[in-house]
Amino acid sequence: MKPLRIATAQFEHHNGDKAYNLSIIRQLAAQAAQQGADVIVFHECSITGYTHARHLSREQMLDIAELVPGGESIQALTAIAREHQIVILAGLFEKDDQDRLYKPYVCVDENGLVAKYRKLHPFINPHLLPGDQYVVFEIKGWKCGILICYDNNIIENVRATTLLGADIIFMPHVTMCTPSTRPGAGFVDPALWENRENDPTSLRLEFDSMKGRSWLMKWLPARAYDNGIYVVFSNPIGMDDDQLKNGCSMIIDPFGDVLAECRKLDNEFVIATCTPEKLTMAGGFRYKQARRPDLYRNIIGQPHQSEQKVVWLQPDPSS
């Protein structure tokens, strides 16, 4: 494998406005390609918008969803990839030929769809069905996996994708700045975003607090470190429906170190170079080799009924 230059982006998407969102993807992809990136990565549902889907009926979801790879957005991404000679990863809503709804993330190059992964733990809309498989594919000789947002909170998903051979796991999100049972969590006031040019400090304090980046850094580097992989995290910045998101898209190496991170209070991308040597130099490689699955094969695989609760989507018991 040769070194791979990856760009991870953040931008403020528009709800349901695929034409606008694709125009920003096109703009950032062109700029990243000019700066030598081989790949550019966008956030979960970057083509369609995300949190507004909690209000949509099944019919409205079917209207915004597309066939993959037959839909217009995959064609648009392919055209962008071909024009700028860059691999693109982005997210949207999908419907199949039986009108079943999913939330996929796709990898597209100049020849079309390279890989599609369906979120294993969707929750933003009750009509979305969960995916049922991991995905590992190649970009320029590198083995890559995808896990979308909540999927990364179940650590078995990260280890399973790694054991299937992934050197890089793309982790698109729409996360942070929502209420939770953990101390310090909560929404960030949208007024701070509107006033960001006059008072960037107050907004940055909120974005970097336990509402945002400080929480992320409790666990995201550990996913890279424990598994000896590169992690490419992408997240929107700005308003996502009525919620404010803090961006901080970043690339983390197998040592758990942040190689590059978006820090602007605006649309942005950053580029980092992934080198194959780190994959075997990192402690995670040695730890994987030292595993003893005979001890825990039956423990990890024992029957379990999956139960998923998202605190900020639950009804307020006081209301």
Side-chain angles (χ1 to χ4, degrees):
M1 297 184 298
K2 296 181 179 180
L4 188 68
R5 285 175 58 79
I6 298 177
T8 184
Q10 63 181 31
F11 74 91
E12 186 177 29
H13 59 244
H14 289 186
N15 297 336
D17 191 343
K18 290 187 276 188
Y20 172 82
N21 297 331
L22 283 164
S23 75
I24 302 300
I25 288 172
R26 178 179 292 105
Q27 173 189 325
L28 295 176
Q31 294 172 0
Q34 289 171 358
Q35 295 182 30
D38 301 301
V39 182
I40 187 166
V41 181
F42 297 95
H43 59 267
E44 175 184 19
C45 283
S46 45
I47 295 172
T48 54
Y50 179 65
T51 300
H52 75 291
R54 74 194 194 275
H55 305 301
L56 300 184
S57 67
R58 176 176 171 80
E59 291 70 27
Q60 291 170 319
M61 288 293 294
L62 288 169
D63 284 342
I64 197 173
E66 299 182 27
L67 297 173
V68 176
E72 59 185 12
S73 292
I74 303 302
Q75 295 175 25
L77 290 177
T78 302
I80 298 167
R82 184 180 302 123
E83 178 182 359
H84 299 290
Q85 291 296 293
I86 190 168
V87 178
I88 302 171
L89 289 94
L92 68 163
F93 292 112
E94 176 192 10
K95 58 185 174 186
D96 67 9
D97 56 6
Q98 299 180 50
D99 280 350
R100 291 176 295 204
L101 289 159
Y102 300 94
K103 195 154 73 55
Y105 193 74
V106 298
C107 176
V108 173
D109 68 9
E110 60 182 357
N111 299 311
L113 185 70
V114 174
K116 177 181 74 174
Y117 168 83
R118 289 169 170 169
K119 189 173 185 179
L120 304 177
H121 299 273
F123 61 82
I124 199 64
N125 184 283
H127 302 293
L128 290 169
L129 297 174
D132 60 3
Q133 60 184 327
Y134 301 113
V135 173
V136 175
F137 57 99
E138 286 198 10
I139 298 176
K140 297 183 180 293
W142 289 75
K143 291 188 176 180
C144 304
I146 299 169
L147 292 169
I148 302 173
C149 201
Y150 199 100
D151 298 343
N152 294 282
N153 296 109
I154 293 84
I155 58 175
E156 290 87 347
N157 290 331
V158 184
R159 178 49 60 93
T161 304
T162 302
L163 292 179
L164 287 171
D167 306 309
I168 301 167
I169 299 183
F170 297 104
M171 298 184 178
H173 279 65
V174 176
T175 193
M176 296 182 278
C177 305
T178 51
S180 170
T181 53
R182 66 182 159 79
F187 291 122
V188 175
D189 188 349
L192 293 174
W193 178 251
E194 296 301 321
N195 195 42
R196 65 190 181 279
E197 291 187 5
N198 297 324
D199 182 14
T201 302
S202 294
L203 179 59
R204 180 58 67 195
L205 286 170
E206 285 282 82
F207 276 179
D208 287 352
S209 73
M210 279 298 296
K211 293 181 178 181
R213 189 181 186 276
S214 291
W215 166 75
L216 184 74
M217 299 309 286
K218 284 178 175 288
W219 63 269
L220 187 66
R223 301 294 187 267
Y225 180 87
D226 288 344
N227 292 285
I229 55 169
Y230 286 93
V231 162
V232 182
F233 169 81
S234 49
N235 192 51
I237 193 163
M239 295 308 299
D240 169 42
D241 196 32
D242 58 351
Q243 298 179 13
L244 182 54
K245 296 300 171 191
N246 66 322
C248 71
S249 296
M250 64 179 69
I251 299 170
I252 301 174
D253 74 6
F255 298 110
D257 295 326
V258 177
L259 298 180
E261 179 182 353
C262 293
R263 295 294 290 169
K264 289 184 180 179
L265 300 175
D266 200 353
N267 298 353
E268 186 188 12
F269 66 85
V270 292
I271 300 175
T273 299
C274 300
T275 56
E277 294 80 11
K278 285 185 178 181
L279 294 169
T280 52
M281 291 170 61
F285 175 80
R286 299 191 296 276
Y287 307 150
K288 284 182 291 186
Q289 299 301 102
R291 289 178 306 114
R292 292 185 56 191
D294 55 297
L295 290 175
Y296 36 77
R297 180 182 294 112
N298 293 335
I299 298 172
I300 294 174
Q302 65 184 302
H304 171 72
Q305 182 62 46
S306 179
E307 181 180 287
Q308 184 178 348
K309 292 183 178 179
V310 179
V311 173
W312 64 268
L313 281 178
Q314 306 306 311
D316 184 350
S318 65
S319 61

